[in-house]
């Protein structure tokens, strides 16, 4: 067990964290999407500590976070022309760009031995200042134990990683609630590997990209997709279909579980809440279906809340025809339930 030290959002602590990163220590810091578990991205020993703290398989590559574009020319080779356009439009921000890696500089521990590397300039002021002062690329996956929902507040991080890392920044809630979009620009036409906070539509306004397809089989381009992800402790079922029918089905299934003394959680939209009011279950609204930013922001928090309540079975509404941010939300819901999806 490590002696984890809590840091706060002030110049003294940020400077301290930057020095400690340079010494090979692990630091959990907030980004605008979710908290990241950071370490010196050029040091194999430091990066190995990340995998160990998370219990993450080491062939699942990490994102290198940088503070300014000058790092890209050092970390990547054969950078396509479109890269500049994308970076100018979306960095700093919740977009991760995969480029061909400069393997002379990037340890295989970072990119899982691939020929590519994932890079992002985050938009959170604390993260940017930490990166600037550390003056190194910081490798950082989401700061959850492997498989659990990503942490959107320092409480979540403490729950998962206290005693497993050297430092944790206590810096409230993140702003967006789901991870960055991963865009592959390392081969041919740019392609979304993981939908996220920047939508496909936003990207398409500036470059030609291949649309995201929710794939259950086929070649694994984003190695992270093959692992168990974002899952609450409870069993979970996502129900898709016409609104009224879905509500009825959730109610019917909830009553069935309640009869067998199971603790049931219902994950729904704000306007559904009154419909479930008389059920003996825990009801959590992710937000309004019309405000997907709110839904994204509450998603992981809600899944963790069900865990804290000791729920056995989560019944969730899904998004029938996802568009915009709905694509990323659907993707995370599908992963959270381990693709246990019921269409009516
Ligand atoms: O918002 C985020 O992206 C957060 C914050 C902390 O920046 N980070 C994050 O990291 O979500 P992680 O490790 O949980 O997810 C990184 C994703 C994984 O799906 C991984 O497979 C993919 O990026 N990835 C990393 N390097 C890659 C590469 N070279 N080629 C393809 N996919 C890659
Ligand atoms: Mg993650």
């Amino acid at each position: 067990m490590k002696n984890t030290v809590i840091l706060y959002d002030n110049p003294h602590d940020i400077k301290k964290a930057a020095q400690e990163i340079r010494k090979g220590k692990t630091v959990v810091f907030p980004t605008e999407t979710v908290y990241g578990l950071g370490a010196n991205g050029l040091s194999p020993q430091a990066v190995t500590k990340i995998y160990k703290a998370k219990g993450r398989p080491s062939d699942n590559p990490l994102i290198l976070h940088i503070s300014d574009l000058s790092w890209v020319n050092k970390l990547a080779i054969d950078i396509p022309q479109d890269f500049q356009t994308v970076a100018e439009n979306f960095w700093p921000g919740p977009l991760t760009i995969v480029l061909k890696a400069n393997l002379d500089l990037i340890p295989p521990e970072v990119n899982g031995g691939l020929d590519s590397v994932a890079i992002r300039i985050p938009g959170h002021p604390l993260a940017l200042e930490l990166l600037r002062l550390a003056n190194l690329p910081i490798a950082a996956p989401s700061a959850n134990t492997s498989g659990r929902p990503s942490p959107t507040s320092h409480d979540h991080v403490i729950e998962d990683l206290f005693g497993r890392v050297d430092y944790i920044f206590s810096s409230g809630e993140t702003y967006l609630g789901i991870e960055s979009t991963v865009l592959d620009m390392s081969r041919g036409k740019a392609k979304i590997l993981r939908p996220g906070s920047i939508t496909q539509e936003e990207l398409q306004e500036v470059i030609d990209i291949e649309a995201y397809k929710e794939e259950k089989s086929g070649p694994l381009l984003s190695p992270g997709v093959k692992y168990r992800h974002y899952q609450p402790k409870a069993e979970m079922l996502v129900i898709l279909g016409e609104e009224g029918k879905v509500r009825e089905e959730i109610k019917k299934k909830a009553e069935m579980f309640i009869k067998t003394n199971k603790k049931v959680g219902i994950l729904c939209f704000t306007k559904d809440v009154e419909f479930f009011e008389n059920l003996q279950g825990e009801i959590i609204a992710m937000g309004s279906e019309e405000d997907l930013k709110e839904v994204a922001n509450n998603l992981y928090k809600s899944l963790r809340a069900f865990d804290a309540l000791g729920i056995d079975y989560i019944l969730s509404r899904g998004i029938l025809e996802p568009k915009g941010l709905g694509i990323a939300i659907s993707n995370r819901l599908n992963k959270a339930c381990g693709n246990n999806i019921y269409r009516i």
Side-chain angles (χ1 to χ4, degrees):
M1 176 111 170
K2 275 180 183 283
N3 178 24
T4 303
V5 175
I6 303 292
L7 299 173
Y8 296 91
D9 189 348
N10 61 56
H12 173 271
D13 283 9
I14 300 174
K15 193 168 160 207
K16 164 96 180 156
Q19 288 164 346
E20 293 295 287
I21 289 266
R22 293 192 66 85
K23 288 187 201 151
K25 300 288 167 86
T26 46
V27 176
V28 175
F29 60 97
T31 81
E32 71 276 43
T33 56
V34 300
Y35 275 77
L37 194 186
N40 178 353
L42 299 181
S43 155
Q45 293 82 2
V47 169
T48 303
K49 293 182 189 169
I50 295 178
Y51 290 105
K52 198 167 163 224
K54 278 193 67 131
R56 170 165 165 143
S58 58
D59 64 339
N60 188 1
L62 307 173
I63 298 170
L64 285 179
H65 297 71
I66 55 172
S67 59
D68 69 89
L69 276 172
S70 64
W71 273 105
V72 175
N73 290 318
K74 298 179 192 137
L75 300 170
I77 55 168
D78 300 343
I79 301 167
Q81 265 189 343
D82 278 350
F83 165 79
Q84 202 63 30
T85 316
V86 178
E88 273 166 21
N89 277 277
F90 299 103
W91 279 356
L95 180 72
T96 294
I97 304 175
V98 176
L99 296 168
K100 273 221 164 59
N102 173 7
L103 297 175
D104 292 336
L105 197 60
I106 294 165
E109 286 79 1
V110 165
N111 68 345
L114 300 171
D115 62 356
S116 58
V117 62
I119 305 175
R120 157 163 126 87
I121 302 186
H124 194 294
L126 192 159
L128 273 177
E129 185 62 3
L130 174 65
L131 287 161
R132 198 181 64 77
L133 293 175
N135 195 24
L136 282 170
I138 297 184
S142 50
N144 49 281
T145 37
S146 201
R148 291 210 72 204
S150 299
T152 58
S153 88
H154 60 256
D155 294 337
H156 302 161
V157 176
I158 286 170
E159 212 171 273
D160 281 17
L161 294 178
F162 193 85
R164 304 181 67 87
V165 294
D166 297 306
Y167 296 92
I168 293 175
F169 269 102
S170 174
S171 176
E173 297 200 356
T174 59
Y175 316 141
L176 302 172
I178 50 175
E179 301 84 349
S180 63
T181 304
V182 179
L183 182 69
D184 187 1
M185 300 190 80
S186 72
R187 62 199 91 216
K189 193 170 171 183
K191 182 178 178 189
I192 294 182
L193 300 182
R194 177 179 74 179
S197 287
I198 299 283
T199 65
Q200 190 157 293
E201 293 84 344
E202 285 171 308
L203 283 165
Q204 271 158 345
E205 273 175 35
V206 304
I207 56 154
D208 189 22
I209 58 162
E210 212 175 296
Y212 177 74
K213 274 194 249 55
E214 193 87 5
E215 283 177 65
K216 289 190 191 118
S217 57
L220 283 166
L221 288 173
S222 191
V225 301
K226 72 182 172 193
Y227 295 107
R228 185 178 181 274
H229 260 310
Y230 318 115
Q231 292 188 351
K233 289 173 188 149
E235 285 281 303
M236 179 166 166
L237 177 70
V238 169
I239 303 178
L240 282 175
E242 186 269 313
E243 182 176 282
K245 283 193 190 149
V246 173
R247 283 183 185 146
E248 285 297 342
E249 189 64 26
I250 290 180
K251 198 171 178 180
K252 202 172 88 193
K253 286 204 156 50
E255 280 163 352
M256 195 181 82
F257 284 121
I258 291 162
K259 263 193 206 141
T260 59
N261 287 324
K262 292 262 190 276
K263 281 186 91 173
V264 173
I266 294 173
L267 188 59
C268 60
F269 298 118
T270 313
K271 64 177 174 192
D272 302 320
V273 171
E274 58 178 342
F275 188 82
F276 300 121
E277 247 161 26
N278 297 325
L279 278 175
Q280 299 292 306
E282 298 287 346
I283 298 148
I284 298 181
M286 299 177 271
S288 152
E289 206 177 352
E290 281 75 51
D291 182 359
L292 293 179
K293 284 194 169 154
E294 185 188 19
V295 174
N297 213 348
N298 286 321
L299 183 59
Y300 293 143
K301 201 185 350 186
S302 309
L303 294 175
R304 282 182 180 256
F306 284 129
D307 279 352
L309 289 162
I311 295 296
D312 301 304
Y313 211 99
I314 301 170
L315 295 161
S316 174
R317 271 200 63 181
I319 302 175
L320 190 55
E321 282 169 356
K323 282 188 274 304
L325 200 49
I327 296 177
I329 295 168
S330 262
N331 169 269
R332 302 308 192 271
L333 280 172
N334 295 349
K335 296 240 156 74
C337 72
N339 277 318
N340 191 17
I341 303 163
Y342 177 45
R343 285 176 186 271
I344 26 176

